[in-house]
């Protein structure tokens, strides 16, 4: 069993002009948005022209990147003065409703677009359909790529409940619009009046009645108008989704799976890795985020605990008297100093145990996926909410 992971060389990936798209995926809350932003910044600092497509960044991070509005357009992010190269960074937040609207506007004449946009069924589909956000992220990625304005696009993905909703979304949307229920519902509008009567006679009316009773006549009419209007642009929709899907399979794309060294996140990361390989998507590696470290790693947990025990046996009273700050003056009775030292040692032992547990988890991931390169990002003392914090993450990725 091999448990030593190959090292993921992030700078080489960022510097390679053939890398055109980086997709950060992973389960909820593991640091996808942070990693995507940090990679984008680092690539720009190293001379690339980058756009970062973020999904739902924390408000402070968004603000610090100049993203105050959800306007669905990439905004320039000022690079720190000491950035060496002449790269550039743009960032945008994905507004899924706006992206959906733009597709409708771009693919139908103004009257029809207005009709669709005003349709309540469309409105609820575009903002709440499960997978819409993932689908729109794909759509936006395709759009950004087609403009050819950036030489690197870094994509953050929505928090997915299941592995790679992102990849499934286009198909799910197609399946939904292609679905039998939708077909039945729209049959009358598609076929026109006369045929409609025939269908009704063939018992279709009964079904429509049932559906009408369940979902309401107005909703049914909405669905019918919506899908009828949508029909014309539907082919284009699916084609573009398939194009983007294929684009993701090309060698210019690099998927990075982000995970924290915790059982759930790493289990999800395993699914991601397997799914990416099934779909023949190019996986660049695993970013292990929020890894704990200790400045005194040579003092083992066991020795630290033993020392704490010797200084202050576990049964001894916990409350410690005030401690003198100067060991040389006065006589800070050893006994009054010990409780503090003992708790520091116990804290250190806990930290060392956590580090060991994290290492075991990482090793079992690597044992299951020996070929997957890994880069580690240490847990920062506080949340990452500005360019300085992002820069620090970038630096640690290099040093990883
Ligand atoms: N290495 C780190 N050290 C400390 N805090 C971190 C680190 N990485 C991320 N964070 C913090 O963890 C929180 C979650 O990070 P982030 O928003 O990037 O996760 P996410 O995977 O995008 O979450 P979601 O799935 O909700 O979109 C943020 O508050 C972020 O500042
Ligand atoms: Mg996020």
């Amino acid at each position: 069993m091999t448990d030593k992971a190959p090292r993921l060389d992030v700078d080489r990936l960022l510097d390679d002009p053939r890398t055109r798209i980086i997709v950060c995926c992973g389960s909820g809350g593991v640091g996808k948005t942070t990693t995507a932003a940090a990679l984008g910044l680092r690539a720009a600092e190293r001379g690339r022209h980058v756009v970062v497509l973020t999904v739902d960044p924390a408000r402070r991070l968004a603000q610090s990147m100049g993203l105050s509005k959800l306007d669905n357009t990439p905004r320039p992010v000022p690079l720190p003065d000491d950035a060496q190269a002449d790269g550039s960074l743009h960032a945008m937040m994905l507004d899924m409703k706006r992206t959906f609207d733009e597709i409708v506007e771009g693919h139908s004449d103004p009257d029809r677009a207005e009709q669709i946009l005003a349709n309540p069924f469309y409105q609820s589909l575009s903002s709440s359909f499960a997978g819409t956000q993932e689908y729109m992220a794909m759509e936006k990625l395709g759009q950004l790529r087609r403009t050819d304005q950036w030489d690197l696009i870094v994509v953050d993905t929505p928090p997915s409940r299941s592995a790679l909703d992102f990849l499934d979304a286009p198909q799910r949307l197609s399946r939904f619009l292609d679905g039998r229920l939708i077909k039945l519902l729209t049959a009358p509008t598609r076929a026109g009046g006369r045929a409609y009567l025939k269908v009704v006679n063939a018992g279709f009316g009964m079904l429509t009645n049932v559906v009408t009773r369940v979902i309401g006549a107005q909703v049914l009419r909405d669905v019918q108008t919506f899908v009828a209007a949508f029909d014309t642009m539907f082919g284009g929709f699916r084609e573009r989704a398939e194009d983007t899907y294929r684009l993701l399979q090309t060698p210019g794309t690099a998927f990075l799976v982000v995970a924290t060294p915790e059982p759930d996140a790493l289990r999800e990361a395993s699914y991601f890795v397997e799914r990416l390989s099934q779909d023949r998507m190019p996986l660049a590696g695993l970013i292990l985020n929020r890894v704990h470290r200790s400045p005194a790693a040579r003092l083992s947990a066991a020795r630290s605990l033993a020392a704490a025990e010797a200084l202050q046996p576990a049964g001894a009273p916990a409350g410690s008297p005030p401690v003198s700050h100067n060991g040389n003056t006065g006589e800070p009775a050893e006994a009054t100093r010990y409780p503090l030292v003992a708790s520091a040692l116990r804290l250190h032992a806990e930290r060392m145990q956590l580090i060991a547990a994290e290492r075991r988890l990482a090793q079992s991931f690597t044992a299951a996926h020996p070929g997957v390169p890994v880069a580690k990002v240490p847990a920062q003392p506080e949340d990452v909410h500005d360019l300085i914090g992002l820069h620090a993450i970038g630096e640690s990725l290099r040093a990883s």
Side-chain angles (χ1 to χ4, degrees):
M1 180 172 110
T2 162
D3 53 14
K4 185 117 183 71
R7 176 174 159 272
L8 171 63
D9 190 339
V10 173
D11 280 349
R12 205 174 75 191
L13 181 71
L14 297 180
D15 290 349
D16 188 341
R18 286 169 302 184
T19 311
R20 300 297 304 273
I21 295 175
I22 293 179
V23 183
C24 297
C25 53
S27 52
V30 293
K32 298 178 294 295
T33 304
T34 309
T35 305
L39 289 172
L41 175 63
R42 184 159 185 88
E45 286 171 345
R46 298 173 69 84
R48 303 217 45 193
H49 297 283
V50 188
V51 61
V52 178
L53 172 57
T54 64
V55 181
D56 254 349
R59 205 163 59 92
R60 280 174 78 192
L61 179 66
Q63 277 170 347
S64 74
M65 296 181 82
L67 301 174
S68 46
K69 281 189 299 191
L70 258 175
D71 59 1
N72 230 16
T73 344
R75 297 280 162 210
V77 182
L79 292 180
D81 292 337
D82 58 347
Q84 310 256 310
D86 57 353
S88 66
L89 179 61
H90 281 73
M92 65 164 279
M93 286 192 270
L94 178 72
D95 177 347
M96 79 172 161
K97 172 97 175 64
R98 191 66 226 132
T99 307
F100 219 141
D101 292 355
E102 281 168 7
I103 300 169
V104 172
E105 284 158 0
H107 291 86
S108 46
D109 60 64
D111 283 351
R112 178 161 266 197
E114 203 179 317
Q115 197 190 338
I116 298 180
L117 296 183
N119 186 295
F121 177 72
Y122 168 75
Q123 288 172 353
S124 84
L125 175 78
S126 61
S127 49
S128 66
F129 173 66
T132 307
Q133 198 170 29
E134 284 82 359
Y135 177 74
M136 288 306 141
M138 288 280 264
E139 178 72 31
K140 197 74 206 176
L141 168 62
Q143 284 174 14
L144 291 174
R145 186 69 170 81
R146 279 190 297 274
T147 66
D148 219 17
Q149 202 181 330
W150 293 278
D151 62 26
L152 177 63
I153 306 173
V154 185
V155 189
D156 170 26
T157 53
S160 304
R161 286 149 307 283
S162 66
L164 292 177
D165 276 356
F166 186 61
L167 295 179
D168 293 327
Q171 270 172 331
R172 200 151 10 117
L173 191 68
S174 298
R175 263 206 311 275
F176 169 75
L177 290 171
D178 252 0
R180 284 181 58 204
L181 179 64
I182 292 281
K183 283 237 170 72
L184 281 173
L185 291 174
T186 53
T189 347
R190 280 184 195 168
R194 200 179 277 265
Y196 178 52
L197 279 179
K198 261 198 221 146
V199 180
V200 170
N201 290 341
F204 181 72
M206 215 169 71
L207 174 77
T208 314
N209 282 340
V210 173
V211 176
T212 310
R213 239 183 291 131
V214 177
I215 66 176
Q218 185 56 46
V219 176
L220 180 59
R221 266 194 302 279
D222 287 343
V223 177
Q224 287 174 342
T225 354
F226 168 69
V227 180
F230 213 76
D231 225 21
T232 44
M233 58 176 104
F234 183 31
F237 236 142
R238 190 176 332 186
E239 254 163 48
R240 277 197 316 286
E242 282 166 6
D243 282 353
T244 310
Y245 186 89
R246 274 193 299 273
L247 177 65
L248 290 176
Q249 290 177 322
T250 62
T253 300
F255 277 85
L256 288 173
V257 176
V258 185
T260 47
E262 290 162 319
D264 288 352
L266 278 168
R267 197 173 316 118
E268 275 291 305
S270 271
Y271 290 135
F272 276 75
V273 166
E274 281 151 27
R275 178 65 204 277
L276 286 169
S277 115
Q278 263 169 33
D279 283 35
R280 295 199 310 283
M281 297 281 170
L283 171 69
L286 173 78
I287 304 274
L288 203 53
N289 186 31
R290 308 192 86 148
V291 175
H292 290 90
R293 295 201 171 143
S294 166
R298 268 185 302 182
L299 178 56
S300 74
R303 277 176 55 217
S304 189
L305 268 186
E309 188 66 15
L311 286 176
Q312 189 198 31
S320 54
V323 174
S324 156
H325 291 292
N326 182 347
N328 297 326
T329 59
E331 254 300 286
E334 300 269 273
T336 65
R337 236 179 13 212
Y338 288 164
L340 200 62
V341 178
S343 20
L345 285 165
R346 287 207 169 88
L347 269 180
H348 175 72
E350 262 168 41
R351 164 65 64 112
M352 292 304 287
Q353 281 158 352
L354 175 65
I355 293 172
E358 290 183 351
R359 191 169 297 152
R360 277 194 300 275
L361 285 168
Q363 282 167 346
S364 56
F365 175 89
T366 293
H369 309 281
V372 178
V374 178
K376 293 181 182 172
V377 176
Q380 309 292 311
E382 51 183 71
D383 274 2
V384 184
H385 50 69
D386 56 15
L387 292 179
I388 297 172
L390 291 177
H391 176 82
I393 299 265
E395 283 288 306
S396 66
L397 274 169
R398 175 199 58 174
S400 161

